[in-house]
Amino acid sequence: QVQLVESGGGSVQAGGSLRLSCGVSIYPCSNCPMGWFRQAPGKEREGVAIIYTATGFTYYADSVKGRFTISQDNAKNTLYLQMNSLKAEDTAMYYCVTDPYVPPTRRLQPGSYKYWGQGTQVTVSS
């Protein structure tokens, strides 16, 4: 059973940093797309960043490029999201996701992922 558990959310001032973590019980495949999505109040879920577990290939939403970094520690079954230069518009619930396969053109589409964590709240005050 694939289970994802996020941690590391909190409140921070604009310009600050946070690191999110996601513990993974088992990987659903050998080169799984894993990543982070977020949902702000009143808005749809949006993809933030994706990493492939075997190749390490990463993919970012334009809104976070240069500020966020996705990484993984496969020995610890843990996914990370380092968030720097945070802005008020980054305020959202952040979710860890994975799936056995996602078409490349749908990497940042929430409907492409079967497994979701419960989420961790990030609040950025300006």
Side-chain angles (χ1 to χ4, degrees):
Q1 180 77 7
V2 177
Q3 292 184 326
L4 307 172
V5 180
E6 304 95 335
S7 61
S11 297
V12 64
Q13 297 269 2
S17 299
L18 280 174
R19 188 177 81 158
L20 306 183
S21 299
C22 173
V24 185
S25 58
I26 57 171
Y27 293 106
C29 65
S30 59
N31 188 34
C32 307
M34 290 202 65
W36 295 92
F37 278 68
R38 66 186 181 185
Q39 186 169 23
K43 295 188 176 181
E44 295 183 352
R45 287 185 181 184
E46 63 170 344
V48 174
I50 301 296
I51 188 168
Y52 284 79
T53 54
T55 63
F57 173 79
T58 57
Y59 191 77
Y60 294 91
D62 289 342
S63 59
V64 305
K65 282 180 182 177
R67 300 189 299 122
F68 290 11
T69 302
I70 190 170
S71 63
Q72 59 187 347
D73 185 335
N74 289 345
K76 296 182 179 179
N77 281 23
T78 303
L79 179 72
Y80 302 101
L81 185 68
Q82 178 66 43
M83 305 185 294
N84 298 329
S85 302
L86 283 161
K87 305 175 181 179
E89 51 263 43
D90 295 317
T91 294
M93 184 72 78
Y94 283 72
Y95 299 91
C96 178
V97 302
T98 191
D99 194 271
Y101 175 74
V102 174
T105 56
R106 295 184 55 80
R107 287 188 190 114
L108 294 181
Q109 300 299 316
S112 300
Y113 294 86
K114 177 179 180 180
Y115 301 104
W116 290 71
Q118 292 300 305
T120 186
Q121 178 68 38
V122 171
T123 302
V124 184
S125 56
S126 56

mmCIF file of all heavy atoms in Angstrom, residues 43-90:
data_model
loop_
_atom_site.group_PDB
_atom_site.id
_atom_site.type_symbol
_atom_site.label_atom_id
_atom_site.label_comp_id
_atom_site.label_asym_id
_atom_site.label_seq_id
_atom_site.Cartn_x
_atom_site.Cartn_y
_atom_site.Cartn_z
ATOM 1 N N LYS A 43 -8.870 28.253 -4.935
ATOM 2 C CA LYS A 43 -8.195 28.003 -6.207
ATOM 3 C C LYS A 43 -8.082 26.508 -6.470
ATOM 4 O O LYS A 43 -8.214 25.686 -5.578
ATOM 5 C CB LYS A 43 -6.800 28.638 -6.200
ATOM 6 C CG LYS A 43 -6.818 30.153 -6.114
ATOM 7 C CD LYS A 43 -5.430 30.723 -6.310
ATOM 8 C CE LYS A 43 -5.464 32.234 -6.311
ATOM 9 N NZ LYS A 43 -4.104 32.818 -6.530
ATOM 10 N N GLU A 44 -7.809 26.171 -7.713
ATOM 11 C CA GLU A 44 -7.627 24.768 -8.076
ATOM 12 C C GLU A 44 -6.235 24.296 -7.676
ATOM 13 O O GLU A 44 -5.314 25.103 -7.508
ATOM 14 C CB GLU A 44 -7.820 24.603 -9.587
ATOM 15 C CG GLU A 44 -9.227 24.908 -10.066
ATOM 16 C CD GLU A 44 -9.391 24.652 -11.542
ATOM 17 O OE1 GLU A 44 -8.399 24.391 -12.231
ATOM 18 O OE2 GLU A 44 -10.544 24.710 -12.013
ATOM 19 N N ARG A 45 -6.100 22.981 -7.546
ATOM 20 C CA ARG A 45 -4.787 22.424 -7.259
ATOM 21 C C ARG A 45 -3.870 22.660 -8.453
ATOM 22 O O ARG A 45 -4.298 22.541 -9.599
ATOM 23 C CB ARG A 45 -4.898 20.925 -6.979
ATOM 24 C CG ARG A 45 -5.516 20.628 -5.639
ATOM 25 C CD ARG A 45 -5.506 19.154 -5.316
ATOM 26 N NE ARG A 45 -6.126 18.908 -4.024
ATOM 27 C CZ ARG A 45 -6.208 17.732 -3.428
ATOM 28 N NH1 ARG A 45 -5.702 16.655 -4.030
ATOM 29 N NH2 ARG A 45 -6.784 17.600 -2.262
ATOM 30 N N GLU A 46 -2.610 22.970 -8.164
ATOM 31 C CA GLU A 46 -1.648 23.200 -9.229
ATOM 32 C C GLU A 46 -0.360 22.444 -8.938
ATOM 33 O O GLU A 46 0.053 22.309 -7.789
ATOM 34 C CB GLU A 46 -1.351 24.684 -9.405
ATOM 35 C CG GLU A 46 -0.707 25.353 -8.214
ATOM 36 C CD GLU A 46 -0.213 26.762 -8.512
ATOM 37 O OE1 GLU A 46 -0.098 27.127 -9.692
ATOM 38 O OE2 GLU A 46 0.071 27.486 -7.538
ATOM 39 N N GLY A 47 0.262 21.963 -9.995
ATOM 40 C CA GLY A 47 1.529 21.275 -9.866
ATOM 41 C C GLY A 47 2.649 22.251 -9.576
ATOM 42 O O GLY A 47 2.682 23.355 -10.128
ATOM 43 N N VAL A 48 3.566 21.851 -8.704
ATOM 44 C CA VAL A 48 4.684 22.696 -8.309
ATOM 45 C C VAL A 48 5.998 22.148 -8.866
ATOM 46 O O VAL A 48 6.744 22.857 -9.537
ATOM 47 C CB VAL A 48 4.765 22.805 -6.782
ATOM 48 C CG1 VAL A 48 6.011 23.573 -6.355
ATOM 49 C CG2 VAL A 48 3.506 23.458 -6.225
ATOM 50 N N ALA A 49 6.297 20.889 -8.556
ATOM 51 C CA ALA A 49 7.563 20.290 -8.983
ATOM 52 C C ALA A 49 7.444 18.779 -8.994
ATOM 53 O O ALA A 49 6.735 18.210 -8.171
ATOM 54 C CB ALA A 49 8.698 20.720 -8.055
ATOM 55 N N ILE A 50 8.176 18.163 -9.931
ATOM 56 C CA ILE A 50 8.170 16.715 -10.085
ATOM 57 C C ILE A 50 9.609 16.219 -10.186
ATOM 58 O O ILE A 50 10.464 16.894 -10.767
ATOM 59 C CB ILE A 50 7.411 16.295 -11.357
ATOM 60 C CG1 ILE A 50 5.967 16.782 -11.312
ATOM 61 C CG2 ILE A 50 7.470 14.786 -11.575
ATOM 62 C CD1 ILE A 50 5.153 16.182 -10.209
ATOM 63 N N ILE A 51 9.863 15.027 -9.641
ATOM 64 C CA ILE A 51 11.158 14.376 -9.788
ATOM 65 C C ILE A 51 10.917 12.902 -10.066
ATOM 66 O O ILE A 51 9.969 12.315 -9.548
ATOM 67 C CB ILE A 51 12.033 14.571 -8.528
ATOM 68 C CG1 ILE A 51 13.458 14.061 -8.772
ATOM 69 C CG2 ILE A 51 11.412 13.876 -7.317
ATOM 70 C CD1 ILE A 51 14.447 14.495 -7.670
ATOM 71 N N TYR A 52 11.752 12.313 -10.915
ATOM 72 C CA TYR A 52 11.653 10.891 -11.211
ATOM 73 C C TYR A 52 12.624 10.139 -10.306
ATOM 74 O O TYR A 52 13.802 10.494 -10.207
ATOM 75 C CB TYR A 52 11.934 10.628 -12.686
ATOM 76 C CG TYR A 52 10.763 11.011 -13.545
ATOM 77 C CD1 TYR A 52 10.526 12.341 -13.866
ATOM 78 C CD2 TYR A 52 9.859 10.049 -13.995
ATOM 79 C CE1 TYR A 52 9.419 12.707 -14.636
ATOM 80 C CE2 TYR A 52 8.758 10.400 -14.761
ATOM 81 C CZ TYR A 52 8.550 11.732 -15.070
ATOM 82 O OH TYR A 52 7.453 12.085 -15.820
ATOM 83 N N THR A 53 12.120 9.085 -9.662
ATOM 84 C CA THR A 53 12.845 8.451 -8.559
ATOM 85 C C THR A 53 14.146 7.787 -8.985
ATOM 86 O O THR A 53 15.083 7.734 -8.200
ATOM 87 C CB THR A 53 11.954 7.418 -7.867
ATOM 88 O OG1 THR A 53 11.461 6.487 -8.836
ATOM 89 C CG2 THR A 53 10.773 8.092 -7.181
ATOM 90 N N ALA A 54 14.226 7.266 -10.188
ATOM 91 C CA ALA A 54 15.450 6.586 -10.620
ATOM 92 C C ALA A 54 16.406 7.519 -11.359
ATOM 93 O O ALA A 54 17.614 7.509 -11.120
ATOM 94 C CB ALA A 54 15.113 5.391 -11.503
ATOM 95 N N THR A 55 15.889 8.339 -12.258
ATOM 96 C CA THR A 55 16.755 9.196 -13.086
ATOM 97 C C THR A 55 17.084 10.522 -12.410
ATOM 98 O O THR A 55 18.075 11.158 -12.743
ATOM 99 C CB THR A 55 16.091 9.492 -14.427
ATOM 100 O OG1 THR A 55 14.876 10.219 -14.205
ATOM 101 C CG2 THR A 55 15.796 8.193 -15.178
ATOM 102 N N GLY A 56 16.227 10.952 -11.477
ATOM 103 C CA GLY A 56 16.438 12.258 -10.847
ATOM 104 C C GLY A 56 16.016 13.427 -11.716
ATOM 105 O O GLY A 56 16.247 14.595 -11.350
ATOM 106 N N PHE A 57 15.403 13.152 -12.852
ATOM 107 C CA PHE A 57 14.941 14.231 -13.726
ATOM 108 C C PHE A 57 13.912 15.067 -12.973
ATOM 109 O O PHE A 57 13.026 14.544 -12.326
ATOM 110 C CB PHE A 57 14.314 13.640 -14.989
ATOM 111 C CG PHE A 57 13.655 14.650 -15.881
ATOM 112 C CD1 PHE A 57 14.404 15.435 -16.728
ATOM 113 C CD2 PHE A 57 12.279 14.831 -15.852
ATOM 114 C CE1 PHE A 57 13.798 16.376 -17.558
ATOM 115 C CE2 PHE A 57 11.654 15.768 -16.662
ATOM 116 C CZ PHE A 57 12.425 16.542 -17.521
ATOM 117 N N THR A 58 14.042 16.397 -13.084
ATOM 118 C CA THR A 58 13.125 17.290 -12.376
ATOM 119 C C THR A 58 12.379 18.192 -13.347
ATOM 120 O O THR A 58 12.844 18.471 -14.462
ATOM 121 C CB THR A 58 13.876 18.177 -11.365
ATOM 122 O OG1 THR A 58 14.886 18.931 -12.061
ATOM 123 C CG2 THR A 58 14.526 17.344 -10.289
ATOM 124 N N TYR A 59 11.232 18.663 -12.888
ATOM 125 C CA TYR A 59 10.372 19.510 -13.711
ATOM 126 C C TYR A 59 9.641 20.453 -12.772
ATOM 127 O O TYR A 59 9.103 20.026 -11.759
ATOM 128 C CB TYR A 59 9.384 18.633 -14.474
ATOM 129 C CG TYR A 59 8.601 19.331 -15.544
ATOM 130 C CD1 TYR A 59 9.169 19.626 -16.763
ATOM 131 C CD2 TYR A 59 7.269 19.689 -15.327
ATOM 132 C CE1 TYR A 59 8.443 20.268 -17.750
ATOM 133 C CE2 TYR A 59 6.537 20.329 -16.314
ATOM 134 C CZ TYR A 59 7.129 20.607 -17.524
ATOM 135 O OH TYR A 59 6.411 21.237 -18.496
ATOM 136 N N TYR A 60 9.646 21.764 -13.130
ATOM 137 C CA TYR A 60 9.077 22.772 -12.235
ATOM 138 C C TYR A 60 8.013 23.606 -12.936
ATOM 139 O O TYR A 60 8.103 23.883 -14.135
ATOM 140 C CB TYR A 60 10.166 23.718 -11.744
ATOM 141 C CG TYR A 60 11.205 23.074 -10.862
ATOM 142 C CD1 TYR A 60 12.365 22.534 -11.398
ATOM 143 C CD2 TYR A 60 11.031 23.022 -9.481
ATOM 144 C CE1 TYR A 60 13.322 21.947 -10.593
ATOM 145 C CE2 TYR A 60 11.986 22.447 -8.657
ATOM 146 C CZ TYR A 60 13.126 21.912 -9.217
ATOM 147 O OH TYR A 60 14.070 21.338 -8.406
ATOM 148 N N ALA A 61 7.062 24.067 -12.153
ATOM 149 C CA ALA A 61 6.141 25.081 -12.639
ATOM 150 C C ALA A 61 6.901 26.396 -12.790
ATOM 151 O O ALA A 61 7.829 26.677 -12.019
ATOM 152 C CB ALA A 61 4.989 25.259 -11.656
ATOM 153 N N ASP A 62 6.513 27.196 -13.771
ATOM 154 C CA ASP A 62 7.203 28.462 -14.012
ATOM 155 C C ASP A 62 7.182 29.366 -12.783
ATOM 156 O O ASP A 62 8.136 30.111 -12.528
ATOM 157 C CB ASP A 62 6.562 29.190 -15.193
ATOM 158 C CG ASP A 62 6.863 28.517 -16.525
ATOM 159 O OD1 ASP A 62 7.813 27.716 -16.590
ATOM 160 O OD2 ASP A 62 6.126 28.786 -17.490
ATOM 161 N N SER A 63 6.111 29.289 -12.012
ATOM 162 C CA SER A 63 5.946 30.183 -10.868
ATOM 163 C C SER A 63 6.948 29.936 -9.747
ATOM 164 O O SER A 63 7.130 30.799 -8.876
ATOM 165 C CB SER A 63 4.522 30.057 -10.314
ATOM 166 O OG SER A 63 4.261 28.713 -9.924
ATOM 167 N N VAL A 64 7.616 28.776 -9.751
ATOM 168 C CA VAL A 64 8.543 28.468 -8.664
ATOM 169 C C VAL A 64 9.980 28.248 -9.144
ATOM 170 O O VAL A 64 10.882 28.043 -8.320
ATOM 171 C CB VAL A 64 8.081 27.235 -7.861
ATOM 172 C CG1 VAL A 64 6.659 27.435 -7.347
ATOM 173 C CG2 VAL A 64 8.212 25.959 -8.682
ATOM 174 N N LYS A 65 10.201 28.283 -10.437
ATOM 175 C CA LYS A 65 11.559 28.072 -10.962
ATOM 176 C C LYS A 65 12.527 29.077 -10.367
ATOM 177 O O LYS A 65 12.244 30.271 -10.286
ATOM 178 C CB LYS A 65 11.557 28.191 -12.488
ATOM 179 C CG LYS A 65 11.043 26.973 -13.205
ATOM 180 C CD LYS A 65 11.084 27.163 -14.718
ATOM 181 C CE LYS A 65 10.510 25.956 -15.437
ATOM 182 N NZ LYS A 65 10.474 26.163 -16.908
ATOM 183 N N GLY A 66 13.679 28.582 -9.940
ATOM 184 C CA GLY A 66 14.695 29.440 -9.354
ATOM 185 C C GLY A 66 14.514 29.701 -7.878
ATOM 186 O O GLY A 66 15.419 30.227 -7.221
ATOM 187 N N ARG A 67 13.357 29.331 -7.334
ATOM 188 C CA ARG A 67 13.090 29.538 -5.903
ATOM 189 C C ARG A 67 12.926 28.216 -5.157
ATOM 190 O O ARG A 67 13.338 28.105 -4.002
ATOM 191 C CB ARG A 67 11.827 30.378 -5.716
ATOM 192 C CG ARG A 67 11.886 31.749 -6.339
ATOM 193 C CD ARG A 67 10.693 32.604 -5.929
ATOM 194 N NE ARG A 67 9.417 32.035 -6.346
ATOM 195 C CZ ARG A 67 8.434 31.737 -5.503
ATOM 196 N NH1 ARG A 67 8.574 31.925 -4.200
ATOM 197 N NH2 ARG A 67 7.295 31.233 -5.968
ATOM 198 N N PHE A 68 12.296 27.238 -5.780
ATOM 199 C CA PHE A 68 12.047 25.949 -5.150
ATOM 200 C C PHE A 68 12.965 24.891 -5.749
ATOM 201 O O PHE A 68 13.276 24.934 -6.945
ATOM 202 C CB PHE A 68 10.599 25.506 -5.380
ATOM 203 C CG PHE A 68 9.564 26.320 -4.644
ATOM 204 C CD1 PHE A 68 9.873 27.513 -3.997
ATOM 205 C CD2 PHE A 68 8.248 25.885 -4.600
ATOM 206 C CE1 PHE A 68 8.919 28.252 -3.331
ATOM 207 C CE2 PHE A 68 7.274 26.603 -3.940
ATOM 208 C CZ PHE A 68 7.611 27.788 -3.310
ATOM 209 N N THR A 69 13.351 23.918 -4.913
ATOM 210 C CA THR A 69 14.161 22.800 -5.376
ATOM 211 C C THR A 69 13.580 21.504 -4.840
ATOM 212 O O THR A 69 13.422 21.361 -3.618
ATOM 213 C CB THR A 69 15.615 22.934 -4.914
ATOM 214 O OG1 THR A 69 16.167 24.160 -5.393
ATOM 215 C CG2 THR A 69 16.451 21.772 -5.443
ATOM 216 N N ILE A 70 13.297 20.585 -5.743
ATOM 217 C CA ILE A 70 12.813 19.266 -5.342
ATOM 218 C C ILE A 70 13.985 18.298 -5.311
ATOM 219 O O ILE A 70 14.869 18.364 -6.172
ATOM 220 C CB ILE A 70 11.692 18.765 -6.285
ATOM 221 C CG1 ILE A 70 11.032 17.506 -5.730
ATOM 222 C CG2 ILE A 70 12.204 18.568 -7.712
ATOM 223 C CD1 ILE A 70 9.756 17.099 -6.474
ATOM 224 N N SER A 71 14.006 17.435 -4.305
ATOM 225 C CA SER A 71 15.077 16.459 -4.200
ATOM 226 C C SER A 71 14.555 15.222 -3.490
ATOM 227 O O SER A 71 13.423 15.210 -2.998
ATOM 228 C CB SER A 71 16.280 17.045 -3.454
ATOM 229 O OG SER A 71 15.919 17.374 -2.126
ATOM 230 N N GLN A 72 15.403 14.199 -3.409
ATOM 231 C CA GLN A 72 14.965 12.953 -2.786
ATOM 232 C C GLN A 72 16.135 12.252 -2.124
ATOM 233 O O GLN A 72 17.296 12.458 -2.506
ATOM 234 C CB GLN A 72 14.355 12.024 -3.840
ATOM 235 C CG GLN A 72 15.308 11.667 -4.978
ATOM 236 C CD GLN A 72 14.634 10.899 -6.096
ATOM 237 O OE1 GLN A 72 13.505 10.409 -5.971
ATOM 238 N NE2 GLN A 72 15.322 10.789 -7.230
ATOM 239 N N ASP A 73 15.818 11.452 -1.140
ATOM 240 C CA ASP A 73 16.783 10.564 -0.505
ATOM 241 C C ASP A 73 16.150 9.180 -0.564
ATOM 242 O O ASP A 73 15.337 8.825 0.288
ATOM 243 C CB ASP A 73 17.060 10.998 0.933
ATOM 244 C CG ASP A 73 18.150 10.166 1.584
ATOM 245 O OD1 ASP A 73 18.365 9.011 1.154
ATOM 246 O OD2 ASP A 73 18.754 10.654 2.545
ATOM 247 N N ASN A 74 16.502 8.430 -1.601
ATOM 248 C CA ASN A 74 15.849 7.136 -1.802
ATOM 249 C C ASN A 74 16.171 6.151 -0.684
ATOM 250 O O ASN A 74 15.371 5.273 -0.376
ATOM 251 C CB ASN A 74 16.244 6.558 -3.162
ATOM 252 C CG ASN A 74 15.610 7.315 -4.310
ATOM 253 O OD1 ASN A 74 14.680 8.091 -4.116
ATOM 254 N ND2 ASN A 74 16.106 7.127 -5.516
ATOM 255 N N ALA A 75 17.341 6.295 -0.073
ATOM 256 C CA ALA A 75 17.701 5.400 1.027
ATOM 257 C C ALA A 75 16.764 5.594 2.219
ATOM 258 O O ALA A 75 16.530 4.661 2.994
ATOM 259 C CB ALA A 75 19.143 5.649 1.449
ATOM 260 N N LYS A 76 16.249 6.807 2.345
ATOM 261 C CA LYS A 76 15.332 7.116 3.439
ATOM 262 C C LYS A 76 13.879 7.150 2.989
ATOM 263 O O LYS A 76 12.999 7.486 3.786
ATOM 264 C CB LYS A 76 15.696 8.466 4.057
ATOM 265 C CG LYS A 76 17.064 8.504 4.712
ATOM 266 C CD LYS A 76 17.326 9.865 5.336
ATOM 267 C CE LYS A 76 18.680 9.905 6.023
ATOM 268 N NZ LYS A 76 18.960 11.239 6.631
ATOM 269 N N ASN A 77 13.643 6.840 1.708
ATOM 270 C CA ASN A 77 12.273 6.907 1.171
ATOM 271 C C ASN A 77 11.633 8.251 1.475
ATOM 272 O O ASN A 77 10.497 8.323 1.969
ATOM 273 C CB ASN A 77 11.401 5.781 1.729
ATOM 274 C CG ASN A 77 11.650 4.459 1.040
ATOM 275 O OD1 ASN A 77 12.713 4.251 0.465
ATOM 276 N ND2 ASN A 77 10.677 3.575 1.084
ATOM 277 N N THR A 78 12.367 9.319 1.190
ATOM 278 C CA THR A 78 11.880 10.656 1.525
ATOM 279 C C THR A 78 12.062 11.602 0.352
ATOM 280 O O THR A 78 13.103 11.603 -0.309
ATOM 281 C CB THR A 78 12.599 11.211 2.755
ATOM 282 O OG1 THR A 78 12.429 10.304 3.849
ATOM 283 C CG2 THR A 78 12.033 12.567 3.147
ATOM 284 N N LEU A 79 11.039 12.389 0.128
ATOM 285 C CA LEU A 79 11.029 13.437 -0.885
ATOM 286 C C LEU A 79 11.063 14.786 -0.173
ATOM 287 O O LEU A 79 10.466 14.932 0.896
ATOM 288 C CB LEU A 79 9.758 13.322 -1.722
ATOM 289 C CG LEU A 79 9.516 14.329 -2.830
ATOM 290 C CD1 LEU A 79 10.460 14.060 -3.994
ATOM 291 C CD2 LEU A 79 8.062 14.267 -3.289
ATOM 292 N N TYR A 80 11.757 15.748 -0.780
ATOM 293 C CA TYR A 80 11.872 17.072 -0.166
ATOM 294 C C TYR A 80 11.454 18.165 -1.151
ATOM 295 O O TYR A 80 11.515 17.989 -2.362
ATOM 296 C CB TYR A 80 13.320 17.344 0.262
ATOM 297 C CG TYR A 80 13.875 16.347 1.227
ATOM 298 C CD1 TYR A 80 14.727 15.334 0.790
ATOM 299 C CD2 TYR A 80 13.560 16.414 2.580
ATOM 300 C CE1 TYR A 80 15.257 14.404 1.682
ATOM 301 C CE2 TYR A 80 14.074 15.492 3.474
ATOM 302 C CZ TYR A 80 14.916 14.498 3.024
ATOM 303 O OH TYR A 80 15.427 13.579 3.913
ATOM 304 N N LEU A 81 11.058 19.291 -0.588
ATOM 305 C CA LEU A 81 10.850 20.501 -1.370
ATOM 306 C C LEU A 81 11.444 21.663 -0.583
ATOM 307 O O LEU A 81 10.896 22.059 0.450
ATOM 308 C CB LEU A 81 9.378 20.761 -1.661
ATOM 309 C CG LEU A 81 9.109 21.956 -2.578
ATOM 310 C CD1 LEU A 81 9.603 21.666 -3.994
ATOM 311 C CD2 LEU A 81 7.618 22.313 -2.609
ATOM 312 N N GLN A 82 12.577 22.166 -1.044
ATOM 313 C CA GLN A 82 13.196 23.340 -0.440
ATOM 314 C C GLN A 82 12.588 24.573 -1.086
ATOM 315 O O GLN A 82 12.674 24.735 -2.309
ATOM 316 C CB GLN A 82 14.706 23.312 -0.655
ATOM 317 C CG GLN A 82 15.429 24.524 -0.087
ATOM 318 C CD GLN A 82 15.368 24.598 1.427
ATOM 319 O OE1 GLN A 82 15.545 23.597 2.105
ATOM 320 N NE2 GLN A 82 15.103 25.791 1.957
ATOM 321 N N MET A 83 11.993 25.422 -0.268
ATOM 322 C CA MET A 83 11.320 26.614 -0.766
ATOM 323 C C MET A 83 12.023 27.846 -0.238
ATOM 324 O O MET A 83 12.059 28.072 0.979
ATOM 325 C CB MET A 83 9.852 26.606 -0.340
ATOM 326 C CG MET A 83 9.112 25.347 -0.756
ATOM 327 S SD MET A 83 7.352 25.416 -0.361
ATOM 328 C CE MET A 83 7.410 25.439 1.426
ATOM 329 N N ASN A 84 12.611 28.624 -1.129
ATOM 330 C CA ASN A 84 13.303 29.854 -0.773
ATOM 331 C C ASN A 84 12.585 31.056 -1.377
ATOM 332 O O ASN A 84 11.763 30.915 -2.277
ATOM 333 C CB ASN A 84 14.749 29.797 -1.284
ATOM 334 C CG ASN A 84 15.552 28.684 -0.672
ATOM 335 O OD1 ASN A 84 15.337 28.278 0.473
ATOM 336 N ND2 ASN A 84 16.503 28.163 -1.435
ATOM 337 N N SER A 85 12.920 32.220 -0.863
ATOM 338 C CA SER A 85 12.326 33.472 -1.369
ATOM 339 C C SER A 85 10.809 33.360 -1.444
ATOM 340 O O SER A 85 10.184 33.704 -2.456
ATOM 341 C CB SER A 85 12.900 33.808 -2.750
ATOM 342 O OG SER A 85 14.303 33.925 -2.710
ATOM 343 N N LEU A 86 10.226 32.889 -0.380
ATOM 344 C CA LEU A 86 8.780 32.656 -0.368
ATOM 345 C C LEU A 86 8.013 33.953 -0.507
ATOM 346 O O LEU A 86 8.421 35.006 0.005
ATOM 347 C CB LEU A 86 8.383 31.915 0.899
ATOM 348 C CG LEU A 86 8.692 30.415 0.880
ATOM 349 C CD1 LEU A 86 8.705 29.846 2.294
ATOM 350 C CD2 LEU A 86 7.691 29.676 0.017
ATOM 351 N N LYS A 87 6.881 33.831 -1.198
ATOM 352 C CA LYS A 87 5.995 34.968 -1.430
ATOM 353 C C LYS A 87 4.625 34.663 -0.828
ATOM 354 O O LYS A 87 4.277 33.498 -0.602
ATOM 355 C CB LYS A 87 5.836 35.206 -2.929
ATOM 356 C CG LYS A 87 7.139 35.382 -3.691
ATOM 357 C CD LYS A 87 6.873 35.498 -5.180
ATOM 358 C CE LYS A 87 8.165 35.638 -5.970
ATOM 359 N NZ LYS A 87 7.914 35.726 -7.433
ATOM 360 N N ALA A 88 3.851 35.709 -0.617
ATOM 361 C CA ALA A 88 2.515 35.524 -0.055
ATOM 362 C C ALA A 88 1.684 34.585 -0.942
ATOM 363 O O ALA A 88 0.881 33.799 -0.436
ATOM 364 C CB ALA A 88 1.817 36.866 0.104
ATOM 365 N N GLU A 89 1.891 34.674 -2.237
ATOM 366 C CA GLU A 89 1.117 33.831 -3.162
ATOM 367 C C GLU A 89 1.514 32.355 -3.125
ATOM 368 O O GLU A 89 0.884 31.529 -3.771
ATOM 369 C CB GLU A 89 1.206 34.355 -4.594
ATOM 370 C CG GLU A 89 2.605 34.612 -5.088
ATOM 371 C CD GLU A 89 3.002 36.071 -4.942
ATOM 372 O OE1 GLU A 89 2.717 36.688 -3.897
ATOM 373 O OE2 GLU A 89 3.626 36.604 -5.904
ATOM 374 N N ASP A 90 2.559 32.022 -2.367
ATOM 375 C CA ASP A 90 2.919 30.615 -2.170
ATOM 376 C C ASP A 90 2.091 29.981 -1.060
ATOM 377 O O ASP A 90 2.170 28.768 -0.831
ATOM 378 C CB ASP A 90 4.403 30.477 -1.826
ATOM 379 C CG ASP A 90 5.315 30.898 -2.965
ATOM 380 O OD1 ASP A 90 5.023 30.542 -4.124
ATOM 381 O OD2 ASP A 90 6.318 31.589 -2.681
#
